[in-house]
Amino acid sequence: MALIEMKFFSQVLGMSTAMNIILPESNFHQNIDNSKPIKFQTLYLLHGGTDDHTAWTRQTAIEQYAQEHMVAVVMPNVDLSYYTDMVHGKRYWTFITEEVPLIARRYFPLSDKREDNFVAGLSMGGYGSFKWALKKPEMFMAAASFSGTLDMPHLLSKLHPAMQPIREKIFNEIFGDYANMANGEEDLLFLSTRAKEAQTNLPLLYQCCGTEDFTYDLNINFRNHARNLALDLHYEEGPGGHTWSYWDMCIQKALAWFPLKRTTV
């Protein structure tokens, strides 16, 4: 097992940034005379709005789970960006979907096959995970969202009055005129409808949310919309809030649900 913090210069962001990578321990001795290189299945694991690339390793046993499932894990830092090319900020969508996989595969033995790649995230990262899966479905076999902010137009229309001035500034920097976000490129309900109408071969989708979570209604909205579209969505809910104890359980369930191989390729 290797846990690596990689610091590198991003051409897209125009600055230095970081990501954590977990590489499971394979039986290298069995491959010492094998000319075929080992390449790992890969999970891109996305953090939430108040976290960074270290959150999953600090708050869960993701290293243990990666070893059990023989999957590499790539955890990039995107700040509070909602995995978006921000209107007033950095191009984090381009960074995460184009530059991160390219750099990760350049330095580490990661498979580029669709059937070997997966994406998951919590809260803001759940939104980013499903957006990545819906907009670039050719990259992933499956995607998972844990307590994701999956209906952003609904969330932003109901900002708490006490927090509105602060959050309005933040979301305007990210999305611009977010009052008109519905039926646009940052609206997951619109993206899923468009993908269905285009008969896109979407990744398998796994969604879970705690019934005491403040994102619960957003998750119900997306679940119902996906069911109406007859998308291949596996939905789970149960007691739980917006907490790491719940997400640690979710990542274990998602890894067991993903169509992972049990060996490296």
Side-chain angles (χ1 to χ4, degrees):
M1 172 68 69
L3 171 62
I4 303 146
E5 182 177 36
M6 180 182 180
K7 297 182 179 180
F8 61 99
F9 184 83
S10 164
Q11 296 290 340
V12 171
L13 302 179
M15 67 180 192
S16 293
T17 185
M19 59 182 168
N20 277 2
I21 298 96
I22 297 170
L23 295 178
E25 180 182 350
S26 61
N27 193 340
F28 289 105
H29 295 293
Q30 291 183 356
N31 295 277
I32 203 165
D33 297 322
N34 191 339
S35 60
K36 184 178 180 180
I38 297 171
K39 290 196 174 181
F40 290 105
Q41 302 167 101
T42 307
L43 170 65
Y44 292 86
L45 190 55
L46 310 183
H47 67 75
T50 59
D51 289 317
D52 61 15
H53 62 291
T54 68
W56 278 100
T57 52
R58 288 186 293 108
Q59 301 286 356
T60 74
I62 185 60
E63 288 182 80
Q64 175 187 330
Y65 310 146
Q67 182 62 50
E68 290 172 356
H69 293 276
M70 288 301 294
V71 62
V73 184
V74 176
M75 296 163 282
N77 180 42
V78 301
D79 298 321
L80 178 55
S81 66
Y82 272 82
Y83 299 87
T84 296
D85 284 346
M86 300 168 67
V87 173
H88 302 290
K90 302 293 185 181
R91 297 167 58 220
Y92 280 104
W93 171 253
T94 303
F95 168 70
I96 190 74
T97 63
E98 297 181 17
E99 192 173 27
V100 165
L102 184 66
I103 290 175
R105 291 167 185 163
R106 180 180 300 162
Y107 287 98
F108 302 100
L110 309 179
S111 173
D112 61 359
K113 297 177 182 178
R114 182 181 191 254
E115 62 266 28
D116 292 332
N117 280 271
F118 307 83
V119 61
L122 66 91
S123 195
M124 179 185 81
Y127 168 81
S129 170
F130 273 12
K131 183 165 74 168
W132 199 350
L134 291 169
K135 295 187 77 168
K136 292 183 178 285
E138 72 281 358
M139 294 185 68
F140 299 108
M141 188 66 190
S145 168
F146 317 134
S147 309
T149 52
L150 301 184
D151 186 355
M152 287 300 297
H154 180 76
L155 173 66
L156 296 176
S157 71
K158 297 186 178 299
L159 291 177
H160 192 282
M163 293 297 294
Q164 186 129 0
I166 298 172
R167 295 198 176 186
E168 185 171 323
K169 180 179 184 298
I170 292 171
F171 286 120
N172 272 324
E173 290 175 351
I174 297 170
F175 298 113
D177 183 12
Y178 64 77
N180 296 314
M181 181 188 291
N183 300 315
E185 291 298 313
E186 312 302 334
D187 177 3
L188 300 191
L189 275 64
F190 168 76
L191 294 178
S192 56
T193 299
R194 185 175 68 182
K196 180 67 175 182
E197 291 175 347
Q199 298 183 333
T200 305
N201 182 23
L202 289 174
L204 306 173
L205 300 178
Y206 177 94
Q207 178 189 357
C208 68
C209 186
T211 50
E212 288 73 50
D213 197 300
F214 76 88
T215 68
Y216 182 68
D217 59 337
L218 310 180
N219 278 267
I220 293 300
N221 290 351
F222 184 87
R223 181 202 67 184
N224 292 344
H225 185 74
R227 286 179 175 174
N228 288 337
L229 293 173
L231 298 185
D232 196 340
L233 172 72
H234 178 84
Y235 176 83
E236 292 189 20
E237 65 175 55
H242 213 69
T243 63
W244 278 105
S245 59
Y246 185 77
W247 300 324
D248 185 71
M249 177 181 66
C250 286
I251 187 61
Q252 294 178 71
K253 289 185 174 182
L255 285 168
W257 182 84
F258 284 160
L260 289 162
K261 306 166 188 173
R262 298 302 170 182
T263 59
T264 52
V265 295

